[in-house]
Amino acid sequence: MEHSDLHNTWIFPEAVTLSGDQLAQINALPEYSDAQHRWFRQQGGVDPYSTDFKIVVHGNADRPVRIVGMKAVPRCGPPLTGTLFESPSAGSEDSIKIGLDLDETDPRGKTLVNDTEWGGDYFREKTISLKRDEEITFQVTATTQKHYCEFSIALDVLSNGKLINQRIDDHGKPFKVSARNTDYASYQKMYIGGVANADGDGKWRSVDPQTYQ
């Protein structure tokens, strides 16, 4: 699992009330650091709009296998409105970039041209062959503008003439991502940090979502 180093925004399913000591604890962690990202994830924080992760596929069959498809298997509902931690943007090995639009009925893996432009179904034009002990890395970005989604990944793998469905999840748990409401008043709790709290040296502090602008 990865998190953007351009923003540090998180959404929680329920109201999160932090004590002064707890705020001091996360404010002591470097902004955008892996330690701070782990803290938010361990507390139940969900990425807004898009979530990014790497999938490393390792060939372990005696004969070459071919990866011929990838899609998300989502379960989606209304966006999360528990607690918003708002900290907006301040401005090794080859991997295959794949995009998944979870707002589609059948979200299949698409070619990522760049951060804003997506192409068609990646596997409609290409397949990937893996020999024994070969590896391939997928850099996956899954997005939603409308929902909160929990999902797994399904790889279609052709092995010995048979099509196998290989499921991938986040170490036994579903991947998660939520659309973000632009109306702050829809959240039960809200904290601001980074450039949103420039007067407070970027530290996290609690604000009233009903009145914050």
Side-chain angles (χ1 to χ4, degrees), residues 11-188:
I11 305 175
F12 285 75
E14 299 176 352
V16 176
T17 301
L18 298 180
S19 66
D21 288 343
Q22 288 172 316
L23 273 176
Q25 178 186 356
I26 60 171
N27 281 328
L29 300 173
E31 193 173 13
Y32 305 123
S33 67
D34 290 341
Q36 195 173 83
H37 293 167
R38 280 196 302 272
W39 187 93
F40 279 108
R41 288 201 193 280
Q42 289 171 355
Q43 305 304 314
V46 174
D47 291 308
Y49 294 131
S50 69
T51 188
D52 299 280
F53 49 93
K54 280 192 174 90
I55 298 173
V56 179
V57 183
H58 182 94
N60 64 359
D62 292 331
R63 296 182 180 180
V65 300
R66 301 188 72 82
I67 301 172
V68 298
M70 177 192 291
K71 69 176 182 178
V73 184
R75 182 180 61 188
C76 300
L80 300 180
T81 56
T83 300
L84 175 66
F85 281 77
E86 173 80 328
S87 180
S89 170
S92 65
E93 58 184 321
D94 292 334
S95 59
I96 297 174
K97 295 183 178 180
I98 300 290
L100 294 164
D101 184 351
L102 300 178
D103 294 330
E104 293 182 345
T105 303
D106 184 27
R108 304 197 68 84
K110 294 184 177 181
T111 302
L112 282 181
V113 180
N114 52 50
D115 291 339
T116 59
E117 184 181 356
W118 293 19
D121 187 337
Y122 179 90
F123 292 95
R124 188 164 291 173
E125 298 180 357
K126 301 179 181 179
T127 62
I128 297 170
S129 179
L130 283 180
K131 298 178 182 178
R132 189 175 186 87
D133 293 329
E134 282 189 329
E135 289 186 346
I136 190 70
T137 299
F138 295 105
Q139 180 72 48
V140 180
T141 298
T143 69
T144 177
Q145 300 288 328
K146 302 177 181 179
H147 306 102
Y148 163 63
C149 295
E150 299 183 355
F151 64 100
S152 61
I153 300 295
L155 282 184
D156 294 326
V157 181
L158 191 61
S159 177
N160 290 327
K162 296 181 179 180
L163 190 63
I164 299 170
N165 185 266
Q166 177 69 54
R167 287 296 182 99
I168 301 168
D169 55 27
D170 183 13
H171 301 91
K173 298 179 181 179
F175 299 109
K176 301 176 183 179
V177 63
S178 179
R180 204 201 80 175
N181 286 332
T182 55
D183 180 11
Y184 292 134
S186 65
Y187 293 95
Q188 300 175 55

Side-chain angles (χ1 to χ4, degrees), residues 2-16:
E2 299 179 343
H3 192 76
S4 173
D5 57 2
L6 298 178
H7 72 82
N8 198 24
T9 298
W10 302 85
I11 305 175
F12 285 75
E14 299 176 352
V16 176

Side-chain angles (χ1 to χ4, degrees), residues 190-201:
M190 183 174 174
Y191 297 82
I192 59 171
V195 296
N197 188 27
D199 295 337
D201 297 325

